[in-house]
Structures are given as structure tokens and as C-alpha cells.
Amino acid sequence: MNLRQINAHNLSTFRHHYVSEISGSLGDLGTFLPIAIALAVNNTVSLSSTLIFSGLFNILTGVFFGIPLPVQPMKAIAAVAIARSFTNGAIAAAGLFVAAFILLFSITGLLTRFANAIPIPIIKGIQVGAGLSLIIASCNSLLGNLSWLSPSWADNRLWALAAFCFLLFTTVYRTVPYALLVFLLGLIFALILSALASDLPSLSLWHPYAVLPIGSDWSMGIVDAGIGQIPLTTLNSIVAVVHLAHDLLPSTTNSSHINVTSIALSVSAMNLLGCWFGAMPVCHGSGGLAAQYRFGARSGASIIFLGVLKLVTGIFFGESLVGLLKRFPTALLGVMVIAAGMELLSVGESLNTTGARDIRKAVDRQTGLMGEDIGPMLSDFERKKRWMVMMVTVGLLVGFKNDAVGFLGGLLCHWAFEIPVVVERGLGWWEGRGRRVRLE
């Protein structure tokens, strides 16, 4: 698929389904806004630069990939930066380090070999684990501090319950633009609260500045945050997101332009550019893709729309938006994050059917029975093995809050199930060698 075809698809989809595309474009705000606000309040990043560069990356991603691929925060870096009040130099150093590592990993071909070697149950485990992690994080961080009537009339458990019931309603009636309606309601509430506090946004043109990390910034950013981000970016933001894109949008991703190398290069380019200007380190994530798909996005037009909105807002309002965004109801954001987690959880259902890429390819190669549920064609042992590998990955990922631990646990489980096969092959080789010796 070339750029002309990609953008013809973007334009056609937006013309016929513009409400769904706009609604879907807002699906990942539940992850983006809380982290961006927290970092901006601490002066760790520039909100205006974050909006401008993430908006620019949204536009370019939509143009080049043609799917609702998100631009979201690097969560491991953000978590450490918030907890330890990083300077803008330290967080920039962390983002630049991860970008350089991913770039090297890509151009050497090691990333492609690594991705091809990962068993599908482990990849699905990473996706399901990411979904559970989103739900748990939303319940603990966003919704956990709410009571039935506080912290305000616009942000409490009653609104969270109403938003969740509305989410369940739109699970049945998918054409209802859930994210768009919830975002507009939250924006109205935030504007009212800001007006009452005399803290409405004002015209504030962007004044770009460069961030040049010094020696201590590099050591703190790399050791404390960058190293921990690498497995999360590699597994969830590159490998898992490529597989999820092919699962959710097979008709759009049937060409070779969406692969681990192209996604990795995109992640590297975004941070090698934006981090020098005080923007938040960003990546592509399976959670964001699931959220935008869940709320209606089906093409790159959705994130192009979001990118233009971010770009204009960042250029003309920038830092004056911090107060408004801080007042956006966490009750509504939290339920949007739960919706993204639920969409990611659903990918585990296809583990033992042709929804799994390895099974789909095997069936297509051997029988041509594309699209059929071939669970019965797998032995009970094979189905239980695949399920166990996926659940070990999920359990360890969620339990340790670490993608790398989940990946290693799932890999060890996969190898443990292969021990009888290896032993049987070894015995067969030994018996064959013994027969040859006797004949001689």
C-alpha cells in the first residue's frame, strides 16, 4: 500500500464515518491527559511542546500508516519522572536513550529476529496483561480517590458509575460515539470549574526552546528511567501493537508497511526530534490502539484530526491549558481507560482459533480453511499449553508490573512444555545412532 492509497482510504473513511473517526480519535486521552498534566505541573516537560510535537506525530503517523496508531506517553519513564520530580533535561535524556537503543535494534535487524521468535501465546499474554494493567491502574489511580460526592459535583463516583453504565450501553450499540460525548461533557465541566476559579485558558503563543541534557541528566535519565522503559517499548509499543493492528484491522494492514521495523523507526524518530524541545517522550502502544478502535476509529484520519487539534491548541494556548486540563473529571477519564483495557482483554479470546496469527497461517497453508474456528483441530494438550503460557505471561506481567518479567516467565513456561519434545528427539537420535553402530 503506497501513500496515495493510504490517504485515499483515510479520506474516504472520514467522509463516510466522520463521527466515529472523531470519537475514536479521543479514545486514548484517558492515558495521555493525566500523564501529560502531571509532568507539566512539575515543570518536567513543556505542555505546549508536548501538544505540538505529539500533534505533529499524530498527523505524520496517520499519513504514513493509515491506521489509528496512537501517540502516547512512555509510561515507565513518566512514572519515574513524576515520582522523582525529574528536570526537563533528565526526562529528555531518558527519551533520547530509548530512541537511540530502538533505532540501533531496528537497523541491525535484531528487532525483526526477536519479534519473529516470540510465540504467539506470549504476545497475546502481553496484550491481555496490558489490558488488565490499564484497568487496575485506572481503578487505583484515577477512580480510587473518588467518593460518592467529592472531590466536586462534577467529579465523583456517581459520574463514574453513569459513565460506566453508558459504556456498557455502547458495548451493544457501537455506533454511539461514546468517547466524543464523554469528552465534550468533561470539557464543559472543566470549563465551568475553571470559570468559577477565574482560571480560563488565554492566548499564549508557543515560544520554542531547546533542552540540552548535562552529565547528571544523562546518568539519571538513563539509569533510573530509560533502561526500564526499553522492554516496555519493545514488547508493548512495537511487537504487541503490530500484532494487534493486524488482528483488529486486517484489511488495512495486509501490506508490509506496518511491521516491527517501521513502527520502531517511528518511535525513534518521534523522540529524537521532540525530546530536544521539552516534549514528553512518546511511543505507540497497544492500549491506545485498542482504545481508539473501541470508540470507532478505523483509519489514520482519526489521529490526523486529533493531531491538528493538538497542534493548534498547543501553538495558541500552550501552558495556559494546565489549569483547565487539571479540572477535567478523572471519573470520566478513568472509565475511558477501563474501556481500552476491556478491548485489549478481548484479544485473548482468539488464542486457540484462527484469530491467532500462527494458527491462521498454518490453516491457510495446509487446508485453506480461513476464518474457521479450529479449536477442535488442536489437541487438548496443545490448547491447554497455549492457554497456560498466555496466563503465566499475564499473571507475572500484572503481578510484578513489568512487561519484561511477564515475557521471561511466559518464555520459560513455553520452553518447559517443549522439554518432552526435545527429549523424544534426543532419544530418537540416540537410538538411530545405536542402530548405525551395530550395522557397522
Side-chain angles (χ1 to χ4, degrees):
M1 185 180 289
N2 57 38
L3 284 178
R4 180 175 295 180
Q5 291 174 315
I6 290 172
N7 290 288
H9 167 70
N10 287 340
L11 184 58
S12 174
T13 304
F14 194 80
R15 281 178 175 174
H16 293 94
H17 308 286
Y18 60 91
V19 175
S20 295
E21 291 293 295
I22 292 173
S23 178
S25 72
L26 305 172
D28 193 38
L29 292 182
T31 300
F32 182 88
L33 286 182
I35 294 177
I37 293 168
L39 291 172
V41 168
N42 289 342
N43 292 319
T44 302
V45 301
S46 163
L47 181 61
S48 54
S49 293
T50 295
L51 289 172
I52 289 168
F53 281 98
S54 66
L56 177 63
F57 301 147
N58 276 134
I59 295 170
L60 294 175
T61 298
V63 168
F64 283 99
F65 292 108
I67 62 172
L69 192 63
V71 174
Q72 57 181 201
M74 286 189 173
K75 298 181 184 65
I77 289 178
V80 175
I82 292 169
R84 299 191 56 181
S85 299
F86 268 20
T87 64
N88 50 18
I91 197 171
L96 291 167
F97 169 74
V98 174
F101 181 91
I102 295 298
L103 178 62
L104 181 63
F105 204 24
S106 303
I107 61 178
T108 57
L110 292 174
L111 180 59
T112 300
R113 294 181 183 180
F114 172 73
N116 291 337
I118 303 175
I120 292 297
I122 294 178
I123 292 174
K124 286 194 173 290
I126 292 169
Q127 294 170 335
V128 172
L132 278 174
S133 297
L134 283 175
I135 293 173
I136 293 170
S138 174
C139 293
N140 289 338
S141 302
L142 294 176
L143 302 178
N145 296 323
L146 301 178
S147 67
W148 289 109
L149 296 175
S150 62
S152 74
W153 60 266
D155 191 14
N156 51 57
R157 288 182 187 173
L158 292 176
W159 281 113
L161 179 61
F164 185 72
C165 291
F166 186 37
L167 175 66
L168 296 179
F169 173 81
T170 58
T171 301
V172 179
Y173 299 97
R174 291 255 176 168
T175 55
V176 177
Y178 178 88
L180 178 59
L181 296 176
V182 170
F183 174 76
L184 290 176
L185 178 64
L187 184 61
I188 291 170
F189 285 173
L191 285 169
I192 293 172
L193 292 172
S194 295
L196 292 175
S198 301
D199 189 24
L200 286 170
S202 59
L203 186 65
S204 176
L205 292 178
W206 179 50
H207 297 286
Y209 62 90
V211 174
L212 301 175
I214 59 176
S216 59
D217 291 333
W218 287 106
S219 58
M220 179 180 292
I222 292 173
V223 175
D224 295 347
I227 293 174
Q229 180 66 49
I230 287 173
L232 181 61
T233 296
T234 305
L235 296 170
N236 183 54
S237 301
I238 299 174
V239 177
V241 82
V242 169
H243 281 262
L244 185 64
H246 285 273
D247 288 341
L248 296 179
L249 300 159
S251 61
T252 309
T253 56
N254 59 3
S255 60
S256 59
H257 76 290
I258 298 177
N259 53 58
V260 293
T261 300
S262 61
I263 298 297
L265 292 176
S266 175
V267 171
S268 296
M270 290 191 298
N271 292 286
L272 289 175
L273 176 60
C275 288
W276 294 111
F277 295 91
M280 175 176 63
V282 292
C283 60
H284 304 302
S286 57
L289 175 57
Q292 290 173 168
Y293 180 88
R294 166 62 182 83
F295 294 126
R298 296 295 184 271
S299 76
S302 61
I303 53 171
I304 292 174
F305 171 84
L306 177 63
V308 172
L309 186 63
K310 284 181 180 178
L311 196 60
V312 172
T313 304
I315 290 173
F316 291 102
F317 295 98
E319 310 302 327
S320 71
L321 286 168
V322 172
L324 174 68
L325 295 180
K326 283 175 63 178
R327 294 181 176 88
F328 196 99
T330 56
L332 304 183
L333 288 176
V335 177
M336 291 175 70
V337 173
I338 288 175
M342 291 168 59
E343 191 67 35
L344 268 177
L345 288 179
S346 67
V347 304
E349 181 186 7
S350 63
L351 175 66
N352 292 323
T353 72
T354 48
R357 291 179 68 192
D358 57 341
I359 295 179
R360 184 166 66 239
K361 289 178 180 178
V363 171
D364 185 36
R365 186 168 56 249
Q366 296 175 13
T367 68
L369 300 177
M370 285 295 291
E372 296 188 12
D373 185 341
I374 65 162
M377 296 177 63
L378 295 173
S379 68
D380 286 342
F381 176 76
E382 288 171 328
R383 283 187 280 123
K384 289 178 180 178
K385 179 186 77 171
R386 290 168 66 87
W387 181 258
M388 180 61 72
V389 171
M390 183 180 80
M391 293 312 296
V392 167
T393 305
V394 172
L396 293 177
L397 187 156
V398 173
F400 284 93
K401 299 180 181 179
N402 190 307
D403 285 48
V405 173
F407 168 75
L408 291 174
L411 196 60
L412 289 173
C413 183
H414 172 78
W415 285 342
F417 278 113
E418 296 298 314
I419 290 175
V421 177
V422 174
V423 171
E424 185 178 343
R425 288 175 180 171
L427 290 175
W429 175 83
W430 184 260
E431 290 174 358
R433 182 175 181 274
R435 284 195 296 269
R436 286 195 300 272
V437 170
R438 286 193 297 270
L439 289 174
E440 292 173 355

PDB file of all heavy atoms in Angstrom, residues 281-308:
ATOM      1  N   PRO A 281       8.465  12.282  26.255  1.00  0.00           N
ATOM      2  CA  PRO A 281       8.829  11.093  25.480  1.00  0.00           C
ATOM      3  C   PRO A 281       7.584  10.267  25.150  1.00  0.00           C
ATOM      4  O   PRO A 281       6.739  10.025  26.021  1.00  0.00           O
ATOM      5  CB  PRO A 281       9.760  10.322  26.430  1.00  0.00           C
ATOM      6  CG  PRO A 281      10.314  11.362  27.343  1.00  0.00           C
ATOM      7  CD  PRO A 281       9.205  12.345  27.532  1.00  0.00           C
ATOM      8  N   VAL A 282       7.460   9.854  23.893  1.00  0.00           N
ATOM      9  CA  VAL A 282       6.236   9.180  23.444  1.00  0.00           C
ATOM     10  C   VAL A 282       6.567   7.902  22.688  1.00  0.00           C
ATOM     11  O   VAL A 282       7.714   7.666  22.282  1.00  0.00           O
ATOM     12  CB  VAL A 282       5.398  10.105  22.533  1.00  0.00           C
ATOM     13  CG1 VAL A 282       4.818  11.270  23.321  1.00  0.00           C
ATOM     14  CG2 VAL A 282       6.217  10.607  21.352  1.00  0.00           C
ATOM     15  N   CYS A 283       5.537   7.084  22.512  1.00  0.00           N
ATOM     16  CA  CYS A 283       5.677   5.837  21.764  1.00  0.00           C
ATOM     17  C   CYS A 283       4.311   5.482  21.181  1.00  0.00           C
ATOM     18  O   CYS A 283       3.342   6.236  21.336  1.00  0.00           O
ATOM     19  CB  CYS A 283       6.174   4.709  22.677  1.00  0.00           C
ATOM     20  SG  CYS A 283       5.060   4.376  24.064  1.00  0.00           S
ATOM     21  N   HIS A 284       4.233   4.363  20.506  1.00  0.00           N
ATOM     22  CA  HIS A 284       2.952   3.809  20.078  1.00  0.00           C
ATOM     23  C   HIS A 284       2.620   2.665  21.035  1.00  0.00           C
ATOM     24  O   HIS A 284       3.509   1.892  21.393  1.00  0.00           O
ATOM     25  CB  HIS A 284       3.043   3.281  18.651  1.00  0.00           C
ATOM     26  CG  HIS A 284       3.516   4.297  17.656  1.00  0.00           C
ATOM     27  ND1 HIS A 284       2.864   5.499  17.453  1.00  0.00           N
ATOM     28  CD2 HIS A 284       4.580   4.306  16.818  1.00  0.00           C
ATOM     29  CE1 HIS A 284       3.509   6.189  16.516  1.00  0.00           C
ATOM     30  NE2 HIS A 284       4.559   5.493  16.121  1.00  0.00           N
ATOM     31  N   GLY A 285       1.360   2.516  21.431  1.00  0.00           N
ATOM     32  CA  GLY A 285       1.028   1.477  22.398  1.00  0.00           C
ATOM     33  C   GLY A 285      -0.205   0.698  22.024  1.00  0.00           C
ATOM     34  O   GLY A 285      -1.126   1.232  21.390  1.00  0.00           O
ATOM     35  N   SER A 286      -0.236  -0.574  22.420  1.00  0.00           N
ATOM     36  CA  SER A 286      -1.389  -1.416  22.101  1.00  0.00           C
ATOM     37  C   SER A 286      -2.637  -0.939  22.849  1.00  0.00           C
ATOM     38  O   SER A 286      -3.759  -1.056  22.341  1.00  0.00           O
ATOM     39  CB  SER A 286      -1.089  -2.880  22.441  1.00  0.00           C
ATOM     40  OG  SER A 286      -0.730  -3.038  23.792  1.00  0.00           O
ATOM     41  N   GLY A 287      -2.460  -0.379  24.055  1.00  0.00           N
ATOM     42  CA  GLY A 287      -3.607   0.127  24.787  1.00  0.00           C
ATOM     43  C   GLY A 287      -4.282   1.290  24.081  1.00  0.00           C
ATOM     44  O   GLY A 287      -5.514   1.366  24.007  1.00  0.00           O
ATOM     45  N   GLY A 288      -3.486   2.203  23.560  1.00  0.00           N
ATOM     46  CA  GLY A 288      -4.046   3.340  22.832  1.00  0.00           C
ATOM     47  C   GLY A 288      -4.731   2.919  21.552  1.00  0.00           C
ATOM     48  O   GLY A 288      -5.800   3.443  21.192  1.00  0.00           O
ATOM     49  N   LEU A 289      -4.132   1.978  20.826  1.00  0.00           N
ATOM     50  CA  LEU A 289      -4.755   1.476  19.596  1.00  0.00           C
ATOM     51  C   LEU A 289      -6.086   0.806  19.919  1.00  0.00           C
ATOM     52  O   LEU A 289      -7.086   1.019  19.220  1.00  0.00           O
ATOM     53  CB  LEU A 289      -3.817   0.488  18.900  1.00  0.00           C
ATOM     54  CG  LEU A 289      -4.364  -0.220  17.656  1.00  0.00           C
ATOM     55  CD1 LEU A 289      -4.808   0.782  16.603  1.00  0.00           C
ATOM     56  CD2 LEU A 289      -3.332  -1.176  17.084  1.00  0.00           C
ATOM     57  N   ALA A 290      -6.124   0.003  20.987  1.00  0.00           N
ATOM     58  CA  ALA A 290      -7.363  -0.657  21.379  1.00  0.00           C
ATOM     59  C   ALA A 290      -8.429   0.364  21.758  1.00  0.00           C
ATOM     60  O   ALA A 290      -9.609   0.203  21.419  1.00  0.00           O
ATOM     61  CB  ALA A 290      -7.100  -1.603  22.555  1.00  0.00           C
ATOM     62  N   ALA A 291      -8.022   1.436  22.464  1.00  0.00           N
ATOM     63  CA  ALA A 291      -8.978   2.464  22.883  1.00  0.00           C
ATOM     64  C   ALA A 291      -9.568   3.184  21.677  1.00  0.00           C
ATOM     65  O   ALA A 291     -10.781   3.373  21.584  1.00  0.00           O
ATOM     66  CB  ALA A 291      -8.288   3.454  23.811  1.00  0.00           C
ATOM     67  N   GLN A 292      -8.719   3.591  20.755  1.00  0.00           N
ATOM     68  CA  GLN A 292      -9.202   4.341  19.594  1.00  0.00           C
ATOM     69  C   GLN A 292     -10.060   3.461  18.694  1.00  0.00           C
ATOM     70  O   GLN A 292     -11.070   3.918  18.143  1.00  0.00           O
ATOM     71  CB  GLN A 292      -8.006   4.954  18.869  1.00  0.00           C
ATOM     72  CG  GLN A 292      -7.389   6.070  19.715  1.00  0.00           C
ATOM     73  CD  GLN A 292      -6.089   6.642  19.186  1.00  0.00           C
ATOM     74  OE1 GLN A 292      -5.630   7.670  19.652  1.00  0.00           O
ATOM     75  NE2 GLN A 292      -5.457   5.976  18.246  1.00  0.00           N
ATOM     76  N   TYR A 293      -9.692   2.195  18.564  1.00  0.00           N
ATOM     77  CA  TYR A 293     -10.522   1.254  17.799  1.00  0.00           C
ATOM     78  C   TYR A 293     -11.865   1.044  18.497  1.00  0.00           C
ATOM     79  O   TYR A 293     -12.921   1.033  17.851  1.00  0.00           O
ATOM     80  CB  TYR A 293      -9.790  -0.079  17.654  1.00  0.00           C
ATOM     81  CG  TYR A 293     -10.561  -1.128  16.885  1.00  0.00           C
ATOM     82  CD1 TYR A 293     -10.446  -1.211  15.496  1.00  0.00           C
ATOM     83  CD2 TYR A 293     -11.405  -2.021  17.545  1.00  0.00           C
ATOM     84  CE1 TYR A 293     -11.152  -2.165  14.782  1.00  0.00           C
ATOM     85  CE2 TYR A 293     -12.119  -2.974  16.840  1.00  0.00           C
ATOM     86  CZ  TYR A 293     -11.986  -3.046  15.456  1.00  0.00           C
ATOM     87  OH  TYR A 293     -12.706  -3.989  14.764  1.00  0.00           O
ATOM     88  N   ARG A 294     -11.838   0.889  19.824  1.00  0.00           N
ATOM     89  CA  ARG A 294     -13.071   0.639  20.584  1.00  0.00           C
ATOM     90  C   ARG A 294     -14.075   1.766  20.406  1.00  0.00           C
ATOM     91  O   ARG A 294     -15.290   1.546  20.339  1.00  0.00           O
ATOM     92  CB  ARG A 294     -12.726   0.478  22.068  1.00  0.00           C
ATOM     93  CG  ARG A 294     -13.912   0.542  23.043  1.00  0.00           C
ATOM     94  CD  ARG A 294     -14.908  -0.571  22.794  1.00  0.00           C
ATOM     95  NE  ARG A 294     -16.047  -0.466  23.692  1.00  0.00           N
ATOM     96  CZ  ARG A 294     -17.096   0.320  23.498  1.00  0.00           C
ATOM     97  NH1 ARG A 294     -17.145   1.125  22.431  1.00  0.00           N
ATOM     98  NH2 ARG A 294     -18.099   0.326  24.358  1.00  0.00           N
ATOM     99  N   PHE A 295     -13.600   3.002  20.297  1.00  0.00           N
ATOM    100  CA  PHE A 295     -14.502   4.136  20.214  1.00  0.00           C
ATOM    101  C   PHE A 295     -14.792   4.578  18.783  1.00  0.00           C
ATOM    102  O   PHE A 295     -15.346   5.647  18.566  1.00  0.00           O
ATOM    103  CB  PHE A 295     -13.953   5.301  21.035  1.00  0.00           C
ATOM    104  CG  PHE A 295     -13.924   5.016  22.509  1.00  0.00           C
ATOM    105  CD1 PHE A 295     -12.762   5.153  23.235  1.00  0.00           C
ATOM    106  CD2 PHE A 295     -15.059   4.585  23.168  1.00  0.00           C
ATOM    107  CE1 PHE A 295     -12.727   4.879  24.595  1.00  0.00           C
ATOM    108  CE2 PHE A 295     -15.041   4.312  24.527  1.00  0.00           C
ATOM    109  CZ  PHE A 295     -13.871   4.456  25.242  1.00  0.00           C
ATOM    110  N   GLY A 296     -14.394   3.766  17.808  1.00  0.00           N
ATOM    111  CA  GLY A 296     -14.863   3.997  16.442  1.00  0.00           C
ATOM    112  C   GLY A 296     -13.830   4.285  15.384  1.00  0.00           C
ATOM    113  O   GLY A 296     -14.154   4.322  14.195  1.00  0.00           O
ATOM    114  N   ALA A 297     -12.563   4.519  15.753  1.00  0.00           N
ATOM    115  CA  ALA A 297     -11.543   4.866  14.756  1.00  0.00           C
ATOM    116  C   ALA A 297     -11.180   3.649  13.915  1.00  0.00           C
ATOM    117  O   ALA A 297     -10.946   2.570  14.453  1.00  0.00           O
ATOM    118  CB  ALA A 297     -10.296   5.409  15.444  1.00  0.00           C
ATOM    119  N   ARG A 298     -11.109   3.839  12.601  1.00  0.00           N
ATOM    120  CA  ARG A 298     -10.761   2.746  11.693  1.00  0.00           C
ATOM    121  C   ARG A 298      -9.708   3.141  10.664  1.00  0.00           C
ATOM    122  O   ARG A 298      -9.329   2.336   9.823  1.00  0.00           O
ATOM    123  CB  ARG A 298     -12.018   2.251  10.947  1.00  0.00           C
ATOM    124  CG  ARG A 298     -13.092   1.623  11.835  1.00  0.00           C
ATOM    125  CD  ARG A 298     -12.599   0.356  12.490  1.00  0.00           C
ATOM    126  NE  ARG A 298     -13.638  -0.304  13.277  1.00  0.00           N
ATOM    127  CZ  ARG A 298     -13.889  -0.052  14.560  1.00  0.00           C
ATOM    128  NH1 ARG A 298     -13.163   0.877  15.197  1.00  0.00           N
ATOM    129  NH2 ARG A 298     -14.831  -0.695  15.207  1.00  0.00           N
ATOM    130  N   SER A 299      -9.250   4.383  10.702  1.00  0.00           N
ATOM    131  CA  SER A 299      -8.257   4.843   9.723  1.00  0.00           C
ATOM    132  C   SER A 299      -7.353   5.887  10.349  1.00  0.00           C
ATOM    133  O   SER A 299      -7.573   6.337  11.482  1.00  0.00           O
ATOM    134  CB  SER A 299      -8.953   5.436   8.492  1.00  0.00           C
ATOM    135  OG  SER A 299      -9.446   6.731   8.777  1.00  0.00           O
ATOM    136  N   GLY A 300      -6.345   6.282   9.581  1.00  0.00           N
ATOM    137  CA  GLY A 300      -5.436   7.316  10.051  1.00  0.00           C
ATOM    138  C   GLY A 300      -6.077   8.684  10.135  1.00  0.00           C
ATOM    139  O   GLY A 300      -5.529   9.591  10.772  1.00  0.00           O
ATOM    140  N   ALA A 301      -7.256   8.859   9.513  1.00  0.00           N
ATOM    141  CA  ALA A 301      -7.930  10.162   9.557  1.00  0.00           C
ATOM    142  C   ALA A 301      -8.263  10.563  10.981  1.00  0.00           C
ATOM    143  O   ALA A 301      -8.257  11.756  11.326  1.00  0.00           O
ATOM    144  CB  ALA A 301      -9.201  10.108   8.710  1.00  0.00           C
ATOM    145  N   SER A 302      -8.553   9.588  11.828  1.00  0.00           N
ATOM    146  CA  SER A 302      -8.926   9.895  13.214  1.00  0.00           C
ATOM    147  C   SER A 302      -7.783  10.593  13.941  1.00  0.00           C
ATOM    148  O   SER A 302      -7.989  11.615  14.606  1.00  0.00           O
ATOM    149  CB  SER A 302      -9.318   8.607  13.948  1.00  0.00           C
ATOM    150  OG  SER A 302      -8.230   7.710  13.987  1.00  0.00           O
ATOM    151  N   ILE A 303      -6.568  10.054  13.821  1.00  0.00           N
ATOM    152  CA  ILE A 303      -5.458  10.669  14.557  1.00  0.00           C
ATOM    153  C   ILE A 303      -4.912  11.894  13.835  1.00  0.00           C
ATOM    154  O   ILE A 303      -4.263  12.737  14.461  1.00  0.00           O
ATOM    155  CB  ILE A 303      -4.347   9.642  14.840  1.00  0.00           C
ATOM    156  CG1 ILE A 303      -3.886   8.946  13.582  1.00  0.00           C
ATOM    157  CG2 ILE A 303      -4.805   8.630  15.874  1.00  0.00           C
ATOM    158  CD1 ILE A 303      -2.662   8.087  13.804  1.00  0.00           C
ATOM    159  N   ILE A 304      -5.157  12.012  12.538  1.00  0.00           N
ATOM    160  CA  ILE A 304      -4.819  13.266  11.852  1.00  0.00           C
ATOM    161  C   ILE A 304      -5.687  14.391  12.420  1.00  0.00           C
ATOM    162  O   ILE A 304      -5.206  15.499  12.693  1.00  0.00           O
ATOM    163  CB  ILE A 304      -5.008  13.131  10.331  1.00  0.00           C
ATOM    164  CG1 ILE A 304      -3.969  12.162   9.750  1.00  0.00           C
ATOM    165  CG2 ILE A 304      -4.905  14.498   9.653  1.00  0.00           C
ATOM    166  CD1 ILE A 304      -4.168  11.852   8.280  1.00  0.00           C
ATOM    167  N   PHE A 305      -6.984  14.101  12.599  1.00  0.00           N
ATOM    168  CA  PHE A 305      -7.886  15.082  13.213  1.00  0.00           C
ATOM    169  C   PHE A 305      -7.394  15.461  14.603  1.00  0.00           C
ATOM    170  O   PHE A 305      -7.307  16.644  14.954  1.00  0.00           O
ATOM    171  CB  PHE A 305      -9.303  14.505  13.290  1.00  0.00           C
ATOM    172  CG  PHE A 305     -10.255  15.348  14.095  1.00  0.00           C
ATOM    173  CD1 PHE A 305     -10.915  16.416  13.519  1.00  0.00           C
ATOM    174  CD2 PHE A 305     -10.476  15.078  15.445  1.00  0.00           C
ATOM    175  CE1 PHE A 305     -11.786  17.218  14.263  1.00  0.00           C
ATOM    176  CE2 PHE A 305     -11.337  15.869  16.202  1.00  0.00           C
ATOM    177  CZ  PHE A 305     -11.995  16.930  15.603  1.00  0.00           C
ATOM    178  N   LEU A 306      -7.051  14.452  15.418  1.00  0.00           N
ATOM    179  CA  LEU A 306      -6.557  14.720  16.770  1.00  0.00           C
ATOM    180  C   LEU A 306      -5.257  15.514  16.725  1.00  0.00           C
ATOM    181  O   LEU A 306      -5.048  16.429  17.527  1.00  0.00           O
ATOM    182  CB  LEU A 306      -6.334  13.389  17.506  1.00  0.00           C
ATOM    183  CG  LEU A 306      -5.746  13.487  18.917  1.00  0.00           C
ATOM    184  CD1 LEU A 306      -6.699  14.232  19.841  1.00  0.00           C
ATOM    185  CD2 LEU A 306      -5.446  12.098  19.473  1.00  0.00           C
ATOM    186  N   GLY A 307      -4.380  15.188  15.769  1.00  0.00           N
ATOM    187  CA  GLY A 307      -3.108  15.885  15.646  1.00  0.00           C
ATOM    188  C   GLY A 307      -3.281  17.358  15.330  1.00  0.00           C
ATOM    189  O   GLY A 307      -2.597  18.214  15.908  1.00  0.00           O
ATOM    190  N   VAL A 308      -4.195  17.666  14.421  1.00  0.00           N
ATOM    191  CA  VAL A 308      -4.466  19.068  14.073  1.00  0.00           C
ATOM    192  C   VAL A 308      -5.003  19.807  15.299  1.00  0.00           C
ATOM    193  O   VAL A 308      -4.598  20.944  15.591  1.00  0.00           O
ATOM    194  CB  VAL A 308      -5.457  19.152  12.899  1.00  0.00           C
ATOM    195  CG1 VAL A 308      -5.899  20.596  12.669  1.00  0.00           C
ATOM    196  CG2 VAL A 308      -4.823  18.584  11.627  1.00  0.00           C
TER     197      VAL A 308
END
